[in-house]
């Protein structure tokens, strides 16, 4: 026999009161009269107060005690021959990076784990569903995982999400709770924005504390010819001025230190250089949130791009291209190559030239905004001579004439007669070709960027015919679906991620734990929201109905007690 709601046994407290009522009942002395008219004048006042009388009617008392016992069994949800239904409790926890802030010796993460264990115990939870908020809500445990296993899985939880909207996680919690009457618990480290609508069945509170903090706001590294230049921005999230020492450490070069003075809520930019090709670490003094004060920057050299020129191009076009390729960084002219230039109608990836009839344009030129090939290309004062319209999607035009187009397979057409134009003598020419080279560089397999901030999408290039996998900082791997130029969702944890090709490490990147909104701990602190409609015993409701047989027994005992107590009156009424 099991009990689904042990607190229902409190109903047994009615038994002592029932027994006391039997001993202290009011009793009138019998009075015999010979006729009804003699009943007019007797004093009908009862004796004041109850008296302790002799115990009587034992059968009636026993039946009523049994009725109370079976009523208590119904309230406690007794189950015979089967296990009591397990109470399902849904808890949502904030997955923000700021949950790791340590104040007064403990972090908000540790206080949240303690609070979750207490809620599971107080709510008599049999199964738990734990949901972490984030850019994408994550199930930490469940749905409806056994309580001990869910709490064990919670021990591995380490929040590292950027600032995000919590609404998707709250919606998921409502769907998994299975009932609008169940309370859902939400734990965070600070007040929730008033723009976020908390559903009425949610009970939320904060486990965070206010604190001051120093943090890195951004970090960049540029490598060229064995020399690394590092640029970081430091922020002071406090209301007093602070002087801090920033340390830069390279594996194969001398460490460097810089002192930075920051006004209240101020920032500062620091730059250092190292002669190194290894990783560089940057650190701030320990404070409330250590995660945003420790960075590891990987080498970020420009990938070499091999370029070749096909025969058949105009001499002026070849000369203009060679002048650019001779000074462009990270570019090598060789065969075979990643990027090829050739005349119209060739197999080149970039086709430069114009087919008659030719026509010159001074402007205005209409360019497609947001296209990477046209970034920072200024065409003021340019004379552009074009010919027959090339195929592909139009990127730039002058009236009805297409000047630049791009096909679906990535082939770029530059409808330009270099000998009759002055584009190659303006700043637009090297910028345009640099954009073409950059696009080719971004198409090489691996990570185009070596450093990402929390919440940023992950660009990745995966060549077809190979097995690509991502290895998380904790060693867990997951396959990369698709090939070509991909944009993956934000990675789930900060630290070093590795890209594997056919089981071997091919490339790596670092997700930097940087988010100015999460580093500002001054707004953290007390917050609480109480469910708008809290029903009695709602948190103890179960998914299966209570057994009704104890109520049937109670009804039978009450009827039997009525029959026993009515029997003496029936006998007295007989002639």
């Amino acid at each position: 026999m099991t009990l689904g709601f042990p607190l229902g046994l409190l109903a047994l407290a009615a038994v002592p009161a029932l027994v006391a009522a039997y001993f202290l009942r009011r009793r009138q002395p019998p009075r015999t009269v010979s006729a009804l008219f003699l009943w007019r004048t007797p004093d009908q006042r009862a004796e004041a107060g109850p008296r302790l009388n002799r115990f009587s009617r034992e059968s009636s008392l026993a039946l009523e005690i049994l009725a109370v016992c079976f009523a208590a069994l119904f309230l406690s949800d007794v189950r015979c021959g089967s296990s009591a239904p397990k109470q399902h409790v849904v808890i949502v926890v904030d997955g923000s990076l700021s949950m790791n802030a340590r104040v007064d010796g403990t972090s908000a993460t540790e206080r949240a784990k303690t609070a979750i264990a207490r809620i599971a115990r107080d709510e008599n939870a049999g199964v738990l569903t734990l949901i972490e908020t984030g850019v994408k809500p994550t199930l930490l445990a469940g749905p409806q995982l056994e309580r001990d296993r869910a709490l064990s899985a919670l021990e591995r939880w380490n929040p590292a999400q950027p600032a995000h909207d919590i609404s998707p996680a709250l919606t998921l919690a409502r769907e998994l709770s299975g009932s609008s009457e169940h309370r859902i618990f939400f734990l965070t480290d600070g007040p929730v924005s008033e723009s976020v609508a908390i559903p009425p069945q949610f009970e939320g509170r904060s486990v965070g504390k206010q604190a001051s903090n120093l943090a890195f706001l951004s970090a960049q590294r540029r490598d060229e010819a064995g020399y690394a230049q590092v640029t970081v921005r430091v922020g002071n999230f406090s209301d007093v001025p602070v002087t801090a020492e920033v340390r830069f450490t390279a594996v194969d070069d001398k460490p460097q230190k810089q002192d930075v003075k920051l006004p209240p809520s101020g920032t500062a930019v620091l730059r250092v250089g190292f002669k190194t090709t290894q990783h560089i670490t940057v650190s701030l003094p320990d404070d409330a949130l250590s995660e945003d004060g420790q960075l590891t920057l990987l080498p970020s050299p420009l990938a070499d791009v091999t370029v070749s020129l096909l025969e058949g191009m105009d001499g002026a076009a070849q000369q203009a291209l060679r002048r650019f390729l001779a000074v462009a960084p990270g570019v090598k002219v060789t065969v075979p190559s990643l990027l090829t230039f050739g005349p119209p109608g060739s197999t080149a990836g970039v086709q430069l030239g114009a087919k008659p009839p030719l026509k010159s344009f001074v402007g205005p030129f209409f360019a497609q905004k947001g296209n990477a090939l046209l970034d920072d290309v200024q065409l003021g004062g340019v004379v552009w001579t074009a010919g027959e319209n090339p195929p592909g999607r139009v990127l730039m035009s002058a009236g009805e004439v297409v000047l630049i187009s791009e096909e679906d397979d990535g082939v770029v057409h530059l409808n330009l007669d270099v000998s009759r134009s002055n584009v190659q003598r303006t700043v637009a020419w090297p910028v345009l070709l640099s954009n073409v080279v950059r696009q080719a560089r971004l198409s090489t397999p691996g990570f185009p960027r070596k450093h990402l901030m929390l919440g940023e999408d992950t660009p990745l290039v995966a060549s077809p015919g190979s097995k690509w996998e991502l290895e998380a900082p904790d060693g867990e791997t997951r396959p990369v679906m698709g090939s070509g130029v991909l944009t993956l969702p934000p990675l789930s944890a900060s630290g070093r991620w590795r890209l594997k090709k056919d089981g071997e490490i091919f490339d790596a990147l670092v997700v930097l734990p940087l988010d100015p909104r999460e580093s500002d701990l001054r707004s953290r602190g007390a917050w609480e929201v109480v469910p708008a409609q809290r029903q009695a015993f709602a948190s103890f409701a179960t998914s299966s109905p209570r057994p009704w047989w104890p109520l049937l027994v109670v009804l039978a005992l009450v009827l039997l007690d009525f029959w026993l107590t009515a029997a003496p009156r029936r006998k007295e009424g007989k002639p």
Side-chain angles (χ1 to χ4, degrees):
M1 183 177 68
T2 57
L3 301 178
F5 179 34
L7 288 180
L9 296 178
L10 292 176
L12 295 177
V15 173
L18 183 63
V19 174
Y22 263 78
F23 276 103
L24 298 176
R25 69 184 184 279
R26 188 185 299 275
R27 182 184 179 95
Q28 296 291 344
R31 180 173 296 181
T32 305
V33 295
S34 60
L36 289 177
F37 69 90
L38 298 177
W39 188 256
R40 296 177 185 175
T41 59
D43 187 3
Q44 299 182 21
R45 292 177 299 172
E47 297 179 4
R51 291 185 175 182
L52 187 63
N53 294 289
R54 181 178 61 83
F55 187 71
S56 61
R57 296 182 180 178
E58 296 83 352
S59 300
S60 176
L61 176 60
L63 291 176
E64 293 179 9
I65 291 176
L66 285 176
V68 171
C69 292
F70 279 96
L73 291 178
F74 172 76
L75 294 176
S76 59
D77 193 10
V78 64
R79 305 278 170 157
C80 296
S82 63
S83 299
K86 296 181 178 180
Q87 170 64 17
H88 179 207
V89 176
V90 180
I91 304 175
V92 181
V93 290
D94 194 345
S96 301
L97 177 68
S98 58
M99 289 285 288
N100 290 318
R102 184 172 293 274
V103 182
D104 298 334
T106 59
S107 66
T109 301
E110 295 169 348
R111 291 190 289 271
K113 293 178 180 179
T114 302
I116 290 173
R118 185 184 303 113
I119 291 172
R121 182 180 64 252
D122 294 344
E123 298 296 316
N124 192 34
V127 291
L128 291 176
T129 297
L130 304 179
I131 302 173
E132 180 190 33
T133 67
V135 178
K136 180 181 179 182
T138 304
L139 271 177
L140 297 177
Q144 299 193 29
L145 185 64
E146 184 180 1
R147 182 176 68 178
D148 292 341
R149 295 179 60 189
L151 295 179
S152 176
L154 183 65
E155 292 299 321
R156 300 188 297 272
W157 172 53
N158 184 29
Q161 296 289 327
H164 55 269
D165 183 14
I166 65 173
S167 299
L170 302 185
T171 302
L172 177 61
R174 293 178 62 185
E175 295 175 353
L176 295 180
S177 66
S179 173
S180 60
E181 298 182 355
H182 283 81
R183 281 184 297 163
I184 302 175
F185 298 89
F186 173 51
L187 300 177
T188 181
D189 65 337
V192 175
S193 173
E194 295 181 357
S195 61
V196 179
I198 304 296
Q201 67 267 39
F202 273 79
E203 178 175 327
R205 60 177 177 268
S206 171
V207 293
K209 296 182 180 181
Q210 186 179 19
S212 300
N213 186 40
L214 285 177
F216 290 113
L217 305 183
S218 63
Q220 295 179 348
R221 172 174 172 169
R222 181 180 179 182
D223 290 78
E224 188 174 352
Y227 183 81
Q229 183 177 1
V230 176
T231 304
V232 297
R233 180 179 290 273
V234 185
N236 176 22
F237 295 98
S238 69
D239 299 326
V240 296
V242 174
T243 299
E245 181 183 79
V246 184
R247 297 188 176 187
F248 301 85
T249 306
V251 176
D252 50 357
D253 203 352
K254 294 181 179 179
Q256 300 184 36
K257 300 179 183 179
Q258 288 192 19
D259 291 332
V260 57
K261 295 182 179 180
L262 299 169
S265 303
T267 65
V269 177
L270 303 178
R271 293 183 178 88
V272 297
F274 287 96
K275 189 176 182 181
T276 181
T277 57
Q278 303 296 322
H279 68 271
I280 298 174
T281 59
V282 191
S283 61
L284 287 169
D286 290 338
D287 53 10
L289 186 59
S290 60
E291 279 78 0
D292 58 8
Q294 306 287 334
L295 302 179
T296 299
L297 304 179
L298 298 180
S300 305
L302 289 176
D304 290 337
V305 176
T306 55
V307 179
S308 63
L309 304 180
L310 300 184
E311 296 181 358
M313 280 195 303
D314 179 72
Q318 287 197 28
Q319 185 179 6
L321 287 173
R322 291 186 184 279
R323 283 201 305 266
F324 167 78
L325 297 176
V327 297
V331 175
K332 295 182 179 180
V333 180
T334 183
V335 178
S337 62
L338 176 66
L339 177 63
T340 57
F341 288 88
S346 65
T347 59
V350 180
Q351 300 182 14
L352 174 61
K355 295 181 179 180
L358 302 177
K359 186 176 181 180
S360 299
F361 300 90
V362 179
F365 302 104
F366 301 95
Q368 182 180 359
K369 293 183 178 179
N371 189 274
L373 290 176
L374 302 178
D375 285 348
D376 300 324
V377 177
Q378 304 297 327
L379 297 175
V382 167
V383 177
W384 190 297
T385 301
E388 180 183 338
N389 287 345
R393 179 168 52 93
V394 179
L395 300 184
M396 190 172 73
S397 63
E400 296 182 354
V401 178
V402 177
L403 305 182
I404 302 177
S405 66
E406 184 179 18
E407 297 188 49
D408 293 338
D409 57 359
V411 176
V412 177
H413 297 273
L414 299 179
N415 187 8
L416 173 67
D417 188 331
V418 177
S419 61
R420 299 179 57 178
S421 305
N422 70 346
V423 180
Q424 69 279 9
R425 294 190 294 272
T426 66
V427 295
W429 181 251
V431 174
L432 177 61
L433 294 184
S434 295
N435 292 341
V436 172
V437 172
R438 182 184 63 185
Q439 290 297 99
R441 180 177 286 116
L442 293 178
S443 66
T444 58
F447 293 119
R449 297 172 56 189
K450 306 301 182 185
H451 304 99
L452 300 176
M453 293 181 64
L454 283 174
E456 282 192 288
D457 290 339
T458 307
L460 171 64
V461 180
S463 58
S466 300
K467 179 182 178 182
W468 297 90
E469 293 177 313
L470 277 177
E471 183 181 4
D474 60 2
E476 182 180 356
T477 60
R478 64 185 187 188
V480 175
M481 309 302 295
S483 60
V485 179
L486 307 174
T487 300
L488 305 182
L491 298 177
S492 58
S494 59
R496 180 177 298 188
W497 289 72
R498 294 175 174 84
L499 179 64
K500 289 186 174 182
K501 178 182 179 182
D502 297 328
E504 300 293 333
I505 296 178
F506 183 81
D507 202 355
L509 66 74
V510 170
V511 178
L512 303 176
L514 304 181
D515 189 330
R517 296 168 295 179
E518 291 299 303
S519 297
D520 191 355
L521 305 178
R522 293 172 293 182
S523 61
R524 293 342 189 236
W527 174 79
E528 185 175 7
V529 60
V530 179
Q533 298 176 350
R534 177 180 295 182
Q535 300 182 4
F537 304 115
S539 62
F540 298 100
T542 57
S543 57
S544 58
R546 297 172 183 268
W548 287 92
W549 64 267
L551 282 186
L552 297 178
V553 175
V554 171
L555 179 60
L557 292 173
V558 171
L559 293 176
L560 181 59
D561 179 52
F562 176 78
W563 183 81
L564 289 178
T565 54
R569 291 195 295 271
R570 290 197 302 270
K571 291 180 180 180
E572 292 176 359
K574 290 182 179 181

